[in-house]
Each structure stands twice: as structure tokens, then as C-alpha cells.
Amino acid sequence: MKLQQLKYIVEIEKQNLTISAAAKVLFTSQPSVSKQLRLFEDELGLQIFERSGKQLTDITEAGVKIIAYAKEVLSNIESINAITNEYTKPNQGALYIATTHTQARYALPNVIKNFTQKFPQVSLHIQQGTPQQISDAILKGEADFAIATEALHLYENLLVLPCYRWSRSIIMPKNHPLATANTITIHELSKEPLITYSFGFTGRSQLDKAFNNAECSANVLLTATDTDIIKAYVKQGMGVGVIASMALTKEDRSDFHIIDASELFGLSTTSIGIKKGAFLRDYTYELIFQFAPHLTRTIVEKALQTNDDKALKKLFSSFTLPIR
């Protein structure tokens, strides 16, 4: 059994059982991956993947268990390498953050600026995606931690650390018929063409819940994953926008009539997701602390060592999360 073979079977699963795609990611040839897979299965005396001709079609029952342990082995090796680098190159390395556009554009810039000044030899990489893609990136080892509002709590292998709460605002052109009011009801809003986030992004579920509770439907004209796109279409007079209040700029306050929607939709919580059992570099703890000052290294380490959900809930219940 070779470490290389474990890498191969894990990557084949990641690439939807396509050996050529796995070979490309692994910077090797398709015949090499196929040969190592065959040798590995021969050594084990069973098949990891089911086949139809030369094509892999599914993962066998045994294969599912073997791949799960292979991922754990590879994760532990990554942790060993991280520990080694922590002692030999304490302020050098790379940090991969998976997040949404809103967090990358409006919540992270000052944090990143301060971090890079303190750790100039650490290269930062921000990956943007859907909440599901973000969570998957953590579990696959493609990112060190995730920042998102949706989906993180759905994954059992993720430790979810609450960071801050945030509200929404309704934006509309200043010549809009409703632009004379400072408040709006959910029923009035339901009559307007709505431009907001795509489902699964930036607290969208909270918005849908509010309409359902009021027994009315949102007249959604257009959805986007990017707050700036929502603003652009609202500016064109196509509809009324619902965005995160933290995404409002000085220019927006000049361009739009803005109504606070915190009473309509309540508050949502943005969290950091970390793979349970992960080893974090010193500079990773520092960035988490800069993003959410209540998440000290002591608190994060304690959370990583806690497997009981009730204990975690008790640990986090003492926090008074800031509102942005």
C-alpha cells in the first residue's frame, strides 16, 4: 500500500470517477493512475470501484469505507506537515479561505490588510463559491476554513464558530413611489419586483421564511450571488433590492433610498467553519481572531477539542455577537 495510491483513489472520487480528470489534477498520466488503482485493488483483494467496461460507474460498499479512511490518513499527513512548518517556518506559509462574495468584498478587506502587514510571508488565497461549495472545500482539504451564513451547520464534520450578526436593508431608486417612506410592510414589499440573493446565499433563507410567515409570496424578479450586481439592476429601476446592510457604501446612500429591514427579516449569523480535528497554524488563529475578536485562540482550541454539541452551545452562549 502506497501513499500515492491513497491520493489517487481520493482524487478519483473527487472527480466523479473520471480517471482522466483525476490524472490531470495529480499532474500525472491516465495510464499511471489506472495502473496504480489496479495494483492497489489486487493487493487488497477487492474492488474499490465498480466498472462497466473500462469506465468506473460507482464506488463499492468496501470502497466507500476505504476512501473514508484514505481521506483521514491524508488529512493526518497534512497536519503533520503543518506541525513541522509551525516549528521550522512559523511565519511562512499559505492560508486558503473559502467564502462568498459578500464576505470577501465587504467583511474581509480590512482584516486581510491588517493580517498581511503582520504576516507578510504568508500568502492568502480567497476562494469564492456557493455555501455548499465552500463547505465541500473545507472537507476536501482545499481550504483552511470557510466564512459563510448558510449551509455550514448542515455538515457534521465541520466545527461552526459564530462570528457576528447582520441585518438587511431594502434599496430602491430615489424616485420610486415608496421612496417617501422610512418603513415598509412585508405585504407592501411582496407587491414589488424583488432583486436579491440567490437561494442559499447570504441569509436568503431568512428572507424566504419571513414571506412564508406572513403568508405571502416574494415577487422575485432577479437573483444574484453578487451584491454589486443587485445594486446595478436596482439602479436601472428594474425593482427593489434586499441586501446585507454591511454592503451599503457612502455612494449607495447617495444613489438609493434605503429602508432598514431588520424588523422585517430579523438578524442572520455569519460563522467560520473548520474541519473537526484540524491542526491550525498560529497565523490561522490570528486571522480568525482579527475577524471575530471573541474567538480567541483559547476558545477555538477548546471548541476543536469538544465533541459534545451541548458543550459547544454552552461555550458559545456566553458570546454577545456584534451586529454589522
Side-chain angles (χ1 to χ4, degrees):
M1 185 181 300
K2 301 177 182 178
L3 180 62
Q4 179 190 53
Q5 293 169 332
L6 300 183
K7 291 180 179 179
Y8 284 6
I9 63 172
V10 168
E11 194 59 45
I12 290 171
E13 184 209 30
K14 286 184 183 179
Q15 301 303 324
N16 298 315
L17 309 187
T18 304
I19 293 180
S20 58
K24 185 176 181 180
V25 172
L26 294 164
F27 300 102
T28 188
S29 66
Q30 181 176 341
S32 176
V33 175
S34 297
K35 179 181 178 181
Q36 289 301 321
L37 173 59
R38 185 175 65 254
L39 290 173
F40 190 33
E41 289 182 323
D42 287 346
E43 179 183 351
L44 296 175
L46 53 78
Q47 287 191 334
I48 297 172
F49 301 100
E50 295 180 359
R51 294 164 172 79
S52 176
K54 295 183 178 180
Q55 301 296 318
L56 304 184
T57 59
D58 205 347
I59 305 174
T60 65
E61 182 179 350
V64 170
K65 297 177 182 179
I66 291 169
I67 292 173
Y69 276 108
K71 289 179 179 178
E72 188 174 335
V73 170
L74 296 176
S75 177
N76 288 336
I77 290 173
E78 288 178 4
S79 294
I80 291 172
N81 289 331
I83 293 170
T84 302
N85 290 331
E86 189 63 53
Y87 284 91
T88 59
K89 302 175 182 178
N91 294 324
Q92 299 179 37
L95 185 55
Y96 292 82
I97 304 169
T99 189
T100 60
H101 169 269
T102 300
Q103 302 298 327
R105 171 69 176 82
Y106 298 103
L108 278 170
N110 287 335
V111 173
I112 296 298
K113 180 181 179 181
N114 293 334
F115 178 85
T116 54
Q117 289 174 346
K118 188 170 183 177
F119 297 96
Q121 292 182 295
V122 176
S123 61
L124 280 170
H125 307 269
I126 298 178
Q127 308 172 22
Q128 295 182 51
T130 68
Q132 182 175 347
Q133 290 170 337
I134 290 166
S135 301
D136 288 343
I138 299 298
L139 297 176
K140 292 178 180 178
E142 297 169 356
D144 295 295
F145 65 85
I147 302 175
T149 298
E150 306 281 359
L152 295 180
H153 65 283
L154 300 176
Y155 292 77
E156 291 183 0
N157 291 330
L158 285 182
L159 171 65
V160 180
L161 307 170
C163 297
Y164 65 87
R165 305 181 78 193
W166 56 270
S167 62
R168 295 162 186 76
S169 290
I170 297 166
I171 60 174
M172 62 189 73
K174 290 201 169 183
N175 61 356
H176 192 280
L178 295 175
T180 58
N182 291 321
T183 60
I184 188 172
T185 68
I186 195 77
H187 291 281
E188 288 174 326
L189 190 60
S190 69
K191 298 174 183 177
E192 298 295 323
L194 202 62
I195 303 173
T196 190
Y197 300 109
S198 302
F199 186 79
F201 274 82
T202 315
R204 168 66 189 274
S205 61
Q206 193 81 0
L207 184 147
D208 294 328
K209 181 180 178 181
F211 280 101
N212 290 335
N213 289 342
E215 297 183 349
C216 60
S217 300
N219 178 22
V220 178
L221 173 70
L222 186 148
T223 64
T225 62
D226 186 324
T227 306
D228 294 334
I229 292 177
I230 295 172
K231 294 177 184 179
Y233 283 101
V234 172
K235 193 174 290 187
Q236 292 293 324
M238 292 181 60
V240 170
V242 179
I243 64 173
S245 297
M246 63 180 166
L248 291 170
T249 64
K250 291 182 180 179
E251 292 76 13
D252 294 333
R253 299 186 188 281
S254 298
D255 294 339
F256 302 114
H257 178 69
I258 300 169
I259 298 175
D260 176 28
S262 56
E263 291 295 326
L264 287 183
F265 303 119
L267 299 175
S268 292
T269 301
T270 289
S271 301
I272 285 176
I274 304 171
K275 188 175 180 180
K276 291 181 178 178
F279 175 83
L280 304 183
R281 299 287 301 271
D282 283 350
Y283 54 71
T284 306
Y285 284 108
E286 178 63 25
L287 193 144
I288 292 172
F289 174 71
Q290 289 190 22
F291 186 73
H294 60 280
L295 295 176
T296 62
R297 178 169 184 152
T298 301
I299 290 293
V300 175
E301 286 181 337
K302 187 173 182 179
L304 283 169
Q305 295 167 5
T306 301
N307 294 319
D308 183 67
D309 289 340
K310 290 184 178 179
L312 282 174
K313 189 175 181 179
K314 183 178 180 180
L315 177 65
F316 297 145
S317 65
S318 61
F319 299 153
T320 300
L321 298 181
I323 299 175
R324 299 181 183 178

